[in-house]
Amino acid sequence: MQAIKGTRDLLPPETALWNRVEQTAQEVFTSYGFGEIRLPIFEATDLFARSIGLETDVVSKEMYTFVDRDETSVSLRPEATASVCRAYIEDGMQQLPQPVKLYTIGPMFRRERPQKGRYRQFYQIDAEVLGGSDAPGIDGELIEMVMTFFERLGLQGVQLEINSIGDKECRPKYVELLRAELRKVKDKLGPDSQRRMETNPLRVLDSKLENEQKLIEGMPHIADHLCEGCAENYLGVKRELELRGVKYGENWRLVRGLDYYSRTTFEITAKGLGSQNAVCGGGRYDGLMELLGGPPTQATGFAIGEDRLILSLQEIGKTPAPPRRDVYIAWMGTRVYATAIRAAKSLRAAGFSVELPPIEQKFGKALGQADKLGARYALILGDNEVSSGEWTVKTLADGTQQKLTEPQLLDFLRKL
Ligand code: AMP
C-alpha cells in the first residue's frame, strides 16, 4: 500500500523540527495576544464556495468534495480563514472585546499538481485579527509578528512584499480598466490569461508565463487608481512598517489568488525553495464576514505554508538532532529486570530519556545497541549491582565507568 499522491508521512527526527516551529509560533503569537482556535477539518462546501469564490482554481478544481449520507455536500478545508469567520459569527465572538486575535495550525487539502513545496495535504500556520477597525496599526503589527516569528526561527533570505488592491469602491473601476487594457492585447495572451481576463482580470497579474511578462508590465498599476481612503490606508500601513523597523518591497502585481481580499495584501518569500518560494501570504478581507451572513467586520490575517517553512530551514542546515537518549539500561537476569523497570521509571520522571530493552541481552550486545542509538550513558545492571545497590554507569563517549547509587546517579545526570 502507498500513501495517496501529494500526501506524505512526517517522520522523526524531522517531526522534532515541526514541533519546534509550532512551539515557537505559539510563543510568539501569544506574546502578541493571540489565542488558539481549533477548527473542523471538513465544512459545508458552500462555506468555501461563498467565501473563496466559485471561479477560483481552489474551489472550481482543487477541493476534495463529497456528498455525505444525508445528501449535503462537504469539503475538506482548502484553507482556514473561511472557517475562522464562520466560527466568529457562529460562536458570537462579536460580543467579545474587539479585535479578536486568533491563530490555528493544521492540515489543508488542495488537489494541486504535487512538486517540491507543493502537496495535496499541506500544513498552514494561520493568524487572523477580526473586528475592531481597519487601522493600519493592525496590519503593521500583524506583519511585524510574522517577521518576528521567522527571525526567531532563523529563517534566511526572508523578503516581504506588499501591495494594496483597493476596496469595493475603487477596485471594480480598476478591474474594468485592466480588463479593457487586457482585451486590447488578448491575442498575445495564453488561454489561461484569456479566460481569467473575463472571470477575474486581477489574476492575470499573477501569470508566470515568460511571453506574457512584457505585456503585463505595461498594464495600469492599481496604486494610481486607489480611492482616497485606500490610498491613505496604504500610506499608513507603509508608515507602520517603517516605525516597526520592518523592511518591505512593493509589488503592484501582488493580488493574491483568493477573492475576498481588500486593501493590504502581502507575501513573504524565503531561501532555498525554488519556484514555490512563498512561505506566507496574507492581507485584509473586510468584506468576507458579511458575505458569510455576519455583521460588517473588518479583518486581516495571514497563512504560513509550514511545509515550505520547514524545507527552507532544512536547506540552511537547521536539521534537528535525532531523538535524544540519555540512558540505555543494559540489564541481565530476571531478578534484575524489576529493578531496571523501576530505574527507568524514576529516571524518566526526573526528565531523562531512557531506553529499556524489553528482552534480556548479553552486556556486549546491549552496549553495541546503546552506541547505535547514540545514548550518552549505559546503566549496567546485573545481579552484583542489584545486591550492592551500587550501579555501574558507563559514559559511552570515552568508555569510562563508575559506580553510583541511585540518588548519586540522578545527581550526576542532573549536573550535566
Ligand atoms: P494561500 O492560502 O493560497 O494564500 O497560501 C498561503 C501559503 O500556504 C502559501 O504561501 C504557501 O506557503 C502555502 N501553500 C499553499 N498551497 C500549498 C500547497 N499545495 N502545498 C504546500 N504549501 C502550500
Side-chain angles (χ1 to χ4, degrees):
M1 290 295 283
Q2 284 187 327
I4 288 173
K5 190 174 166 194
T7 73
R8 68 214 204 284
D9 305 308
L10 304 172
L11 306 173
E14 189 186 307
T15 37
L17 186 55
W18 285 76
N19 278 321
R20 186 162 68 79
V21 162
E22 290 171 15
Q23 203 182 338
T24 307
Q26 279 161 7
E27 282 164 17
V28 173
F29 297 0
T30 304
S31 75
Y32 281 81
F34 282 68
E36 184 184 7
I37 180 169
R38 296 200 184 192
L39 298 159
I41 300 284
F42 60 108
E43 297 262 10
T45 302
D46 192 43
L47 173 68
F48 305 116
R50 272 210 267 173
S51 60
I52 303 170
L54 285 170
E55 344 61 77
T56 57
D57 288 352
V58 170
V59 171
S60 66
K61 46 185 196 213
E62 293 171 2
M63 280 207 304
Y64 287 93
T65 298
F66 61 97
V67 178
D68 204 350
R69 285 166 203 241
D70 64 0
E71 304 291 309
T72 55
S73 177
V74 298
S75 296
L76 298 184
R77 60 185 190 186
E79 55 106 56
T81 307
S83 302
V84 173
C85 290
R86 179 203 41 72
Y88 179 88
I89 301 165
E90 187 173 345
D91 302 324
M93 285 189 247
Q94 61 268 42
Q95 310 306 329
L96 301 173
Q98 306 291 303
V100 175
K101 301 194 251 183
L102 298 169
Y103 75 89
T104 190
I105 302 175
M108 307 294 157
F109 306 86
R110 293 182 199 172
R111 201 176 194 292
E112 293 192 88
R113 195 172 50 76
Q115 63 182 92
K116 181 184 174 192
R118 202 204 272 155
Y119 312 97
R120 290 180 172 177
Q121 174 172 340
F122 60 100
Y123 295 78
Q124 285 188 339
I125 300 174
D126 198 90
E128 316 284 348
V129 183
L130 310 147
S133 72
D134 63 355
I138 291 184
D139 305 78
E141 190 176 83
L142 184 78
I143 296 173
E144 178 196 300
M145 180 172 88
V146 61
M147 296 301 270
T148 303
F149 170 52
F150 287 161
E151 200 181 304
R152 187 81 60 91
L153 289 173
L155 194 67
Q156 284 177 14
V158 179
Q159 285 187 346
L160 163 70
E161 286 188 330
I162 63 166
N163 189 26
S164 172
I165 54 168
D167 62 8
K168 57 179 187 284
E169 193 189 321
C170 54
R171 184 148 74 137
K173 291 183 204 151
Y174 170 73
V175 168
E176 272 325 303
L177 175 71
L178 181 62
R179 184 180 278 129
E181 291 300 313
L182 286 169
R183 277 184 181 146
K184 289 185 194 161
V185 296
K186 181 176 174 188
D187 297 341
K188 299 192 185 111
L189 297 171
D192 277 347
S193 290
Q194 288 198 7
R195 187 170 41 81
R196 288 182 181 142
M197 181 181 94
E198 298 306 328
T199 55
N200 187 353
L202 285 178
R203 289 293 314 279
V204 178
L205 304 182
D206 263 347
S207 161
K208 305 276 185 292
L209 289 183
E210 196 62 48
N211 61 333
E212 292 184 344
Q213 298 310 308
K214 227 174 146 194
L215 289 172
I216 294 173
E217 280 306 318
M219 291 292 135
H221 291 202
I222 187 153
D224 303 326
H225 300 273
L226 294 176
C227 61
E228 209 178 307
C230 286
E232 198 180 306
N233 181 273
Y234 188 40
L235 264 180
V237 171
K238 288 191 275 189
R239 200 178 317 121
E240 280 287 336
L241 293 177
E242 282 146 26
L243 278 173
R244 293 162 194 275
V246 175
K247 293 206 172 59
Y248 64 89
E250 289 181 79
N251 177 359
W252 71 277
R253 287 174 59 178
L254 190 68
V255 292
R256 315 271 305 121
L258 309 181
D259 273 359
Y260 51 66
Y261 286 96
S262 60
R263 292 192 165 171
T264 309
T265 60
F266 62 95
E267 190 165 89
I268 303 171
T269 52
K271 206 168 137 173
L273 291 172
S275 63
Q276 305 299 314
N277 66 348
V279 282
C280 175
R284 182 159 280 288
Y285 51 92
D286 291 344
L288 180 57
M289 208 72 83
E290 269 176 286
L291 206 66
L292 296 176
T297 308
Q298 284 144 332
T300 181
F302 63 71
I304 294 167
E306 192 177 359
D307 311 71
R308 293 185 193 174
L309 179 55
I310 301 272
L311 268 176
S312 182
L313 290 172
Q314 286 171 329
E315 293 282 334
I316 57 171
K318 298 226 179 243
T319 40
R324 180 178 62 102
R325 274 165 185 105
D326 300 313
V327 181
Y328 188 98
I329 304 185
W331 60 273
M332 262 186 85
T334 4
R335 196 168 69 93
V336 173
Y337 189 43
T339 306
I341 288 178
R342 217 185 30 71
K345 229 177 175 174
S346 73
L347 287 169
R348 284 172 179 149
F352 300 105
S353 156
V354 178
E355 198 62 30
L356 175 68
I359 301 170
E360 184 174 25
Q361 314 168 77
K362 295 240 158 58
F363 285 130
K365 190 168 175 216
L367 290 174
Q369 191 66 14
D371 249 345
K372 261 192 224 153
L373 288 171
R376 298 179 69 191
Y377 302 98
L379 172 58
I380 301 172
L381 291 182
D383 279 326
N384 288 345
E385 279 81 5
V386 173
S387 314
S388 69
E390 295 232 295
W391 297 353
T392 305
V393 180
K394 180 170 179 151
T395 305
L396 289 160
D398 59 13
T400 56
Q401 279 189 200
Q402 53 189 318
K403 294 257 181 200
L404 298 171
T405 63
E406 186 174 353
Q408 283 170 338
L409 171 64
L410 279 171
D411 262 2
F412 170 73
L413 291 173
R414 280 205 188 97
K415 282 200 190 101
L416 296 161

